[in-house]
Amino acid sequence: MIHADLNVQWPHLDPGNRMLTSGRFGLPTLASQFHADNWYDDATPRQLVRRFIESDAGLAPGTQAAVLLDDAQRLVDSPLSDRVIADLWLASSGRWYADAQFDRTGRPWLGEIIDECRTYLRDMDPCYRPRLAPTQEALRAAVLHEVQACRAVLDAATLHAALTEGAGTALEQAAMATAPDLSFRLLLETLLIAESTVSHEQYARFTELGEHFGYHPDFVLHRQGLRAAA
């Protein structure tokens, strides 16, 4: 029996928390929600964002919003051009041929996501003050190496897409200019969307990188569709 006045003491929100049980969090995972061609049949883009940030089952309320806000704010604050930011969104959402306005506006679209996250966080925890989590700069070179190893394959996969230069090119710029953790997750989501096959050695390195970032042990394994070569 659960009493009506039960007071659950949740841990403090941590935008750097990567050990989430679902293994699905942040901007790349939100992007994947837009992959289906008929996403707009029952929701507006902002409604889809709201659904995602409310998916805190088993987590402290506001966790998804805090992590997503961290990702979106990092891209907004980065030196990346709006065009590259739009390319990253198109690549990780699989909307390579999309021409809808919200897909193409770079920072303004991220600004809408940030607004939704901040509104939700104010409702869930009025005392919470959003902050950027520390980045693991020591892993930047390793992430850049993995992006460069996949660049040609990803650029070829998106050669005739709506992206300016190709997914691999955009991801390489992101790996040099924004948080290594975010760049790595964008890479994995884009490889998954592109149905790319990676070598066993690459897959092992992805798993090791995930461990260094503090992900759930099965984070890479749960990227269903990301395959190691036979």
mmCIF file of all heavy atoms in Angstrom, residues 30 44-55 115-121 123-124:
data_model
loop_
_atom_site.group_PDB
_atom_site.id
_atom_site.type_symbol
_atom_site.label_atom_id
_atom_site.label_comp_id
_atom_site.label_asym_id
_atom_site.label_seq_id
_atom_site.Cartn_x
_atom_site.Cartn_y
_atom_site.Cartn_z
ATOM 1 N N LEU A 30 17.032 11.741 -28.767
ATOM 2 C CA LEU A 30 15.890 12.546 -29.196
ATOM 3 C C LEU A 30 15.808 12.559 -30.720
ATOM 4 O O LEU A 30 14.726 12.396 -31.294
ATOM 5 C CB LEU A 30 16.010 13.973 -28.670
ATOM 6 C CG LEU A 30 14.964 14.956 -29.219
ATOM 7 C CD1 LEU A 30 13.559 14.568 -28.754
ATOM 8 C CD2 LEU A 30 15.289 16.384 -28.829
ATOM 9 N N THR A 44 3.397 17.453 -32.824
ATOM 10 C CA THR A 44 4.259 18.499 -33.372
ATOM 11 C C THR A 44 5.694 18.211 -32.936
ATOM 12 O O THR A 44 5.919 17.413 -32.010
ATOM 13 C CB THR A 44 3.844 19.875 -32.849
ATOM 14 O OG1 THR A 44 4.102 19.920 -31.428
ATOM 15 C CG2 THR A 44 2.372 20.141 -33.120
ATOM 16 N N PRO A 45 6.689 18.840 -33.551
ATOM 17 C CA PRO A 45 8.070 18.635 -33.102
ATOM 18 C C PRO A 45 8.253 18.917 -31.610
ATOM 19 O O PRO A 45 8.898 18.149 -30.901
ATOM 20 C CB PRO A 45 8.859 19.616 -33.973
ATOM 21 C CG PRO A 45 8.064 19.698 -35.232
ATOM 22 C CD PRO A 45 6.633 19.642 -34.793
ATOM 23 N N ARG A 46 7.684 20.013 -31.122
ATOM 24 C CA ARG A 46 7.857 20.347 -29.708
ATOM 25 C C ARG A 46 7.134 19.349 -28.808
ATOM 26 O O ARG A 46 7.589 19.063 -27.696
ATOM 27 C CB ARG A 46 7.396 21.772 -29.430
ATOM 28 C CG ARG A 46 8.318 22.824 -30.048
ATOM 29 C CD ARG A 46 8.023 24.229 -29.568
ATOM 30 N NE ARG A 46 8.503 24.464 -28.220
ATOM 31 C CZ ARG A 46 9.125 25.583 -27.836
ATOM 32 N NH1 ARG A 46 9.359 26.535 -28.722
ATOM 33 N NH2 ARG A 46 9.506 25.756 -26.609
ATOM 34 N N GLN A 47 6.030 18.789 -29.272
ATOM 35 C CA GLN A 47 5.352 17.760 -28.487
ATOM 36 C C GLN A 47 6.214 16.502 -28.380
ATOM 37 O O GLN A 47 6.240 15.845 -27.333
ATOM 38 C CB GLN A 47 3.997 17.429 -29.106
ATOM 39 C CG GLN A 47 2.942 18.493 -28.859
ATOM 40 C CD GLN A 47 1.665 18.248 -29.628
ATOM 41 O OE1 GLN A 47 1.664 17.621 -30.698
ATOM 42 N NE2 GLN A 47 0.557 18.753 -29.114
ATOM 43 N N LEU A 48 6.933 16.165 -29.449
ATOM 44 C CA LEU A 48 7.832 15.018 -29.383
ATOM 45 C C LEU A 48 8.966 15.268 -28.394
ATOM 46 O O LEU A 48 9.380 14.357 -27.669
ATOM 47 C CB LEU A 48 8.406 14.709 -30.766
ATOM 48 C CG LEU A 48 7.593 13.797 -31.668
ATOM 49 C CD1 LEU A 48 8.367 13.502 -32.943
ATOM 50 C CD2 LEU A 48 7.237 12.496 -30.969
ATOM 51 N N VAL A 49 9.481 16.491 -28.384
ATOM 52 C CA VAL A 49 10.515 16.842 -27.402
ATOM 53 C C VAL A 49 9.962 16.674 -25.997
ATOM 54 O O VAL A 49 10.607 16.090 -25.117
ATOM 55 C CB VAL A 49 11.011 18.281 -27.621
ATOM 56 C CG1 VAL A 49 11.967 18.688 -26.502
ATOM 57 C CG2 VAL A 49 11.705 18.413 -28.976
ATOM 58 N N ARG A 50 8.749 17.167 -25.781
ATOM 59 C CA ARG A 50 8.140 17.076 -24.454
ATOM 60 C C ARG A 50 7.954 15.617 -24.033
ATOM 61 O O ARG A 50 8.218 15.257 -22.883
ATOM 62 C CB ARG A 50 6.792 17.807 -24.458
ATOM 63 C CG ARG A 50 6.141 17.921 -23.096
ATOM 64 C CD ARG A 50 6.872 18.927 -22.235
ATOM 65 N NE ARG A 50 6.203 19.090 -20.938
ATOM 66 C CZ ARG A 50 6.456 20.090 -20.105
ATOM 67 N NH1 ARG A 50 7.349 21.012 -20.412
ATOM 68 N NH2 ARG A 50 5.831 20.166 -18.950
ATOM 69 N N ARG A 51 7.502 14.784 -24.946
ATOM 70 C CA ARG A 51 7.342 13.362 -24.624
ATOM 71 C C ARG A 51 8.668 12.759 -24.188
ATOM 72 O O ARG A 51 8.732 11.961 -23.247
ATOM 73 C CB ARG A 51 6.809 12.604 -25.837
ATOM 74 C CG ARG A 51 5.358 12.864 -26.188
ATOM 75 C CD ARG A 51 4.978 12.057 -27.415
ATOM 76 N NE ARG A 51 3.651 12.418 -27.900
ATOM 77 C CZ ARG A 51 3.116 11.900 -28.997
ATOM 78 N NH1 ARG A 51 3.791 11.002 -29.710
ATOM 79 N NH2 ARG A 51 1.900 12.267 -29.394
ATOM 80 N N PHE A 52 9.712 13.123 -24.904
ATOM 81 C CA PHE A 52 11.026 12.551 -24.595
ATOM 82 C C PHE A 52 11.512 12.979 -23.218
ATOM 83 O O PHE A 52 11.992 12.154 -22.438
ATOM 84 C CB PHE A 52 12.041 12.956 -25.661
ATOM 85 C CG PHE A 52 13.428 12.437 -25.397
ATOM 86 C CD1 PHE A 52 13.724 11.111 -25.575
ATOM 87 C CD2 PHE A 52 14.433 13.290 -24.957
ATOM 88 C CE1 PHE A 52 15.004 10.616 -25.315
ATOM 89 C CE2 PHE A 52 15.699 12.814 -24.689
ATOM 90 C CZ PHE A 52 15.989 11.468 -24.870
ATOM 91 N N ILE A 53 11.412 14.266 -22.896
ATOM 92 C CA ILE A 53 11.949 14.725 -21.623
ATOM 93 C C ILE A 53 11.090 14.275 -20.445
ATOM 94 O O ILE A 53 11.543 14.308 -19.294
ATOM 95 C CB ILE A 53 12.138 16.258 -21.586
ATOM 96 C CG1 ILE A 53 10.805 16.999 -21.734
ATOM 97 C CG2 ILE A 53 13.134 16.689 -22.649
ATOM 98 C CD1 ILE A 53 10.945 18.508 -21.697
ATOM 99 N N GLU A 54 9.878 13.808 -20.728
ATOM 100 C CA GLU A 54 9.031 13.262 -19.666
ATOM 101 C C GLU A 54 9.269 11.772 -19.443
ATOM 102 O O GLU A 54 8.666 11.179 -18.547
ATOM 103 C CB GLU A 54 7.558 13.510 -20.003
ATOM 104 C CG GLU A 54 7.149 14.977 -19.922
ATOM 105 C CD GLU A 54 5.720 15.215 -20.369
ATOM 106 O OE1 GLU A 54 5.110 14.281 -20.940
ATOM 107 O OE2 GLU A 54 5.209 16.336 -20.164
ATOM 108 N N SER A 55 10.168 11.162 -20.226
ATOM 109 C CA SER A 55 10.394 9.712 -20.125
ATOM 110 C C SER A 55 11.417 9.391 -19.039
ATOM 111 O O SER A 55 12.485 8.836 -19.301
ATOM 112 C CB SER A 55 10.860 9.152 -21.475
ATOM 113 O OG SER A 55 12.083 9.760 -21.877
ATOM 114 N N ASP A 115 14.378 25.536 -24.464
ATOM 115 C CA ASP A 115 13.226 26.140 -23.792
ATOM 116 C C ASP A 115 12.342 25.076 -23.151
ATOM 117 O O ASP A 115 11.884 25.241 -22.006
ATOM 118 C CB ASP A 115 12.397 26.955 -24.788
ATOM 119 C CG ASP A 115 13.071 28.246 -25.205
ATOM 120 O OD1 ASP A 115 14.040 28.653 -24.528
ATOM 121 O OD2 ASP A 115 12.638 28.837 -26.219
ATOM 122 N N GLU A 116 12.083 23.998 -23.876
ATOM 123 C CA GLU A 116 11.243 22.929 -23.336
ATOM 124 C C GLU A 116 11.901 22.286 -22.111
ATOM 125 O O GLU A 116 11.233 21.992 -21.117
ATOM 126 C CB GLU A 116 10.979 21.872 -24.403
ATOM 127 C CG GLU A 116 10.027 22.291 -25.497
ATOM 128 C CD GLU A 116 8.605 22.515 -24.986
ATOM 129 O OE1 GLU A 116 8.204 21.859 -24.006
ATOM 130 O OE2 GLU A 116 7.907 23.369 -25.556
ATOM 131 N N CYS A 117 13.213 22.059 -22.191
ATOM 132 C CA CYS A 117 13.924 21.452 -21.067
ATOM 133 C C CYS A 117 13.877 22.353 -19.836
ATOM 134 O O CYS A 117 13.610 21.884 -18.715
ATOM 135 C CB CYS A 117 15.378 21.176 -21.446
ATOM 136 S SG CYS A 117 15.609 19.847 -22.645
ATOM 137 N N ARG A 118 14.142 23.622 -20.027
ATOM 138 C CA ARG A 118 14.154 24.554 -18.887
ATOM 139 C C ARG A 118 12.768 24.675 -18.250
ATOM 140 O O ARG A 118 12.638 24.727 -17.021
ATOM 141 C CB ARG A 118 14.668 25.923 -19.339
ATOM 142 C CG ARG A 118 16.175 25.941 -19.625
ATOM 143 C CD ARG A 118 16.663 27.338 -19.971
ATOM 144 N NE ARG A 118 18.101 27.371 -20.143
ATOM 145 C CZ ARG A 118 18.972 27.515 -19.160
ATOM 146 N NH1 ARG A 118 18.529 27.649 -17.907
ATOM 147 N NH2 ARG A 118 20.268 27.545 -19.393
ATOM 148 N N THR A 119 11.730 24.710 -19.087
ATOM 149 C CA THR A 119 10.368 24.797 -18.558
ATOM 150 C C THR A 119 10.042 23.560 -17.722
ATOM 151 O O THR A 119 9.490 23.665 -16.608
ATOM 152 C CB THR A 119 9.355 24.941 -19.704
ATOM 153 O OG1 THR A 119 9.622 26.146 -20.413
ATOM 154 C CG2 THR A 119 7.930 24.955 -19.180
ATOM 155 N N TYR A 120 10.381 22.411 -18.240
ATOM 156 C CA TYR A 120 10.092 21.161 -17.525
ATOM 157 C C TYR A 120 10.879 21.080 -16.222
ATOM 158 O O TYR A 120 10.350 20.667 -15.183
ATOM 159 C CB TYR A 120 10.437 19.973 -18.428
ATOM 160 C CG TYR A 120 10.029 18.643 -17.848
ATOM 161 C CD1 TYR A 120 8.687 18.269 -17.785
ATOM 162 C CD2 TYR A 120 10.981 17.751 -17.366
ATOM 163 C CE1 TYR A 120 8.309 17.045 -17.260
ATOM 164 C CE2 TYR A 120 10.612 16.523 -16.834
ATOM 165 C CZ TYR A 120 9.274 16.175 -16.784
ATOM 166 O OH TYR A 120 8.897 14.951 -16.254
ATOM 167 N N LEU A 121 12.143 21.492 -16.261
ATOM 168 C CA LEU A 121 12.965 21.455 -15.057
ATOM 169 C C LEU A 121 12.441 22.409 -13.987
ATOM 170 O O LEU A 121 12.488 22.093 -12.793
ATOM 171 C CB LEU A 121 14.425 21.782 -15.406
ATOM 172 C CG LEU A 121 15.172 20.661 -16.136
ATOM 173 C CD1 LEU A 121 16.471 21.186 -16.740
ATOM 174 C CD2 LEU A 121 15.469 19.498 -15.187
ATOM 175 N N ASP A 123 9.363 23.100 -13.525
ATOM 176 C CA ASP A 123 8.175 22.455 -12.965
ATOM 177 C C ASP A 123 8.554 21.316 -12.015
ATOM 178 O O ASP A 123 7.919 21.122 -10.979
ATOM 179 C CB ASP A 123 7.290 21.901 -14.087
ATOM 180 C CG ASP A 123 6.652 22.989 -14.936
ATOM 181 O OD1 ASP A 123 6.588 24.140 -14.450
ATOM 182 O OD2 ASP A 123 6.233 22.688 -16.065
ATOM 183 N N MET A 124 9.583 20.548 -12.397
ATOM 184 C CA MET A 124 9.964 19.384 -11.608
ATOM 185 C C MET A 124 10.764 19.755 -10.364
ATOM 186 O O MET A 124 10.606 19.143 -9.302
ATOM 187 C CB MET A 124 10.804 18.417 -12.470
ATOM 188 C CG MET A 124 10.025 17.729 -13.580
ATOM 189 S SD MET A 124 8.692 16.664 -12.948
ATOM 190 C CE MET A 124 7.255 17.711 -13.203
#
